[in-house]
Each structure stands twice: as C-alpha cells, then as structure tokens.
Amino acid sequence: EPEVTQTPSHQVTQMGQEVILRCVPISNHLYFYWYRQILGQKVEFLVSFYNNEISEKSEIFDDQFSVERPDGSNFTLKIRSTKLEDSAMYFCASRRGGGRNFGDTQYFGPGTRLTVL
Amino acid sequence: AQTVTQSQPEMSVQEAETVTLSCTYDTSENNYYLFWYKQPPSRQMILVIRQEAYKQQNATENRFSVNFQKAAKSFSLKISDSQLGDTAMYFCAFMNYGQNFVFGPGTRLSVLP
C-alpha cells in the first residue's frame, strides 16, 4: 500500500540554523500539508499546498517558513532560522482530492522529530 | 472558525472491555468530514475511522464504530473488545470542504491487562 514518507526521522540543529524537512507524498495525490505537534500538545496545521502554490497557511507559518515542491515527488518544509520553540514533531500529509472527493482522507507520514538546541 | 473539543484528557479500560471516547465540534457548515486518528507511542498518525456528515449511518470499522449526532455536533468513538495495541493517543479531527484538518487536543487511552 502506498504511503507518505518523511526524512529524516530525527533532526537536531542549533538555534539560528536552517533546516529542510523532506516528504514524499503518495504519488497520485494532489494536496499536500504540513502539521506540527509540540510534545504533549495537539496537532496544529501549518500550511496546505496545491497546484504548486500555497492554498492556506496558519498564523504559525510566518516568514521563517517556506514550502516547495522542487520536483514531481518531493515536498519540503524549510525553516530559515530555527528557534527553540520550533522543536516539535513535523508531519507531512497528502490527499488525493479532486471532484466530489474533497473530504477524502489525509494520509500522514511518520513525522520528523526536530530538536533545536 | 471550527473548533474540536475532546473533554477526556485520559481514559483507561480493561482489555476486552468497551470504551467510548467523546468529541464535540463547532461549525456553521453543513457538509464536512470527521475523523478519528490514533497516535501510538511511535507518534505516527494512523487513520481509525471517518464519517461523512451527509450520511446518517454511523461508520464502522471492525471493532471501531462512531456515534455521530449531527444536530448535537457530537462524534464519539467506541472501541469494542479493547486490545493492548489500542493503547495510544486518539485525536478527533474535522475537515471542511477544501480546508485543512482541525484537531482536538486528544485523549490518552490506556488499555490495561
């Protein structure tokens, strides 16, 4: 069964450094998402991406964040200058979408644990 | 804006027993989807069950079923014959047309041997 993959599984970085989190969505999916989950808290929406552009973003997704689909398979989240409070689990998700299937399921990747020191 | 509430931060159940996790949500929309996701200690998000708001019939997936009360904006999850592997954090989620998910704060379920 196809699945969303994410790399790396764990990233440790120093405050102020740039990090890129990578995701490979399911191949025939059209909608892509990034969520984050600070330890012990709920999952929060960051950004959605469709047709090579951001379709929606939350207040969390400020100028330090950017997303890109550099090729036909990868979907990346970049944090330009990491802060301590960026430490969290970051989940990528994708859904097929299209037509009446607006509610079809988002499939989540296993997550990348980001630790900012 | 939509909100999702899970009023039970933690619950426990004996193995083989039945447990119900509650979820309420707030929306002015008529068409939407509701989901339950399971997050085991590995922290992966795993879909448990989904419900389409325009369907009156409650969704069922093996030992998992929901009680969807649209008028009351309630979407509870029932786990029958609980197994040790059901121990996890459970998140209720709401999705409107073309929107991202809104997650509840989660309920930590422990299945006791």
Side-chain angles (χ1 to χ4, degrees):
Chain A
E1 185 175 329
E3 57 184 22
V4 178
T5 59
Q6 289 184 244
T7 54
S9 57
H10 191 189
Q11 173 99 40
V12 181
T13 189
Q14 295 290 325
M15 189 171 59
Q17 295 294 304
E18 175 183 286
V19 294
I20 297 176
L21 310 183
R22 291 182 167 79
C23 168
V24 179
I26 295 172
S27 62
N28 63 345
H29 284 193
L30 302 176
Y31 295 81
F32 314 117
Y33 305 83
W34 283 101
Y35 294 85
R36 81 170 185 192
Q37 184 184 33
I38 295 172
L39 186 64
Q41 298 186 22
K42 68 177 179 180
V43 179
E44 299 173 292
F45 167 74
L46 290 178
V47 65
S48 59
F49 192 87
Y50 170 71
N51 199 26
N52 284 320
E53 62 183 22
I54 291 173
S55 48
E56 188 180 359
K57 60 183 180 181
S58 72
E59 293 175 352
I60 304 168
F61 194 87
D62 61 22
D63 292 342
Q64 292 299 313
F65 291 88
S66 62
V67 289
E68 194 177 32
R69 189 153 164 81
D71 53 43
S73 59
N74 290 282
F75 178 52
T76 62
L77 174 70
K78 182 194 290 186
I79 309 176
R80 289 190 183 82
S81 178
T82 51
K83 306 180 197 126
L84 295 176
E85 54 264 37
D86 293 328
S87 293
M89 194 78 158
Y90 287 81
F91 292 101
C92 173
S94 71
R95 72 179 175 96
R96 184 164 45 89
R100 297 180 61 188
N101 293 324
F102 69 88
D104 55 338
T105 303
Q106 290 189 25
Y107 293 88
F108 284 78
T112 292
R113 186 189 302 271
L114 176 65
T115 302
V116 181
L117 303 177
Chain B
Q2 288 83 17
T3 58
V4 178
T5 302
Q6 293 177 250
S7 60
Q8 305 147 316
E10 292 189 30
M11 293 190 72
S12 61
V13 63
Q14 291 294 134
E15 198 176 2
E17 300 281 301
T18 295
V19 64
T20 299
L21 309 183
S22 66
C23 171
T24 57
Y25 57 94
D26 185 29
T27 183
S28 58
E29 301 294 331
N30 192 46
N31 293 320
Y32 48 88
Y33 282 68
L34 295 161
F35 302 82
W36 279 97
Y37 279 86
K38 167 185 176 181
Q39 188 180 44
S42 67
R43 297 191 72 182
Q44 177 137 13
M45 296 289 283
I46 302 166
L47 176 69
V48 175
I49 199 165
R50 54 176 260 174
Q51 174 79 40
E52 297 153 350
Y54 64 87
K55 289 187 177 178
Q56 292 185 341
Q57 186 173 6
N58 288 323
T60 299
E61 286 287 342
N62 301 315
R63 298 182 294 107
F64 299 89
S65 61
V66 298
N67 183 5
F68 174 48
Q69 302 289 328
K70 191 173 183 180
K73 297 178 183 173
S74 169
F75 183 60
S76 60
L77 173 70
K78 185 170 84 170
I79 306 174
S80 304
D81 186 25
S82 297
Q83 300 175 0
L84 296 178
D86 295 334
T87 292
M89 199 73 170
Y90 286 81
F91 292 97
C92 178
F94 171 99
M95 180 179 176
N96 195 1
Y97 177 80
Q99 303 290 322
N100 53 284
F101 274 20
V102 176
F103 284 89
T107 295
R108 185 178 302 280
L109 177 67
S110 298
V111 180
L112 307 174

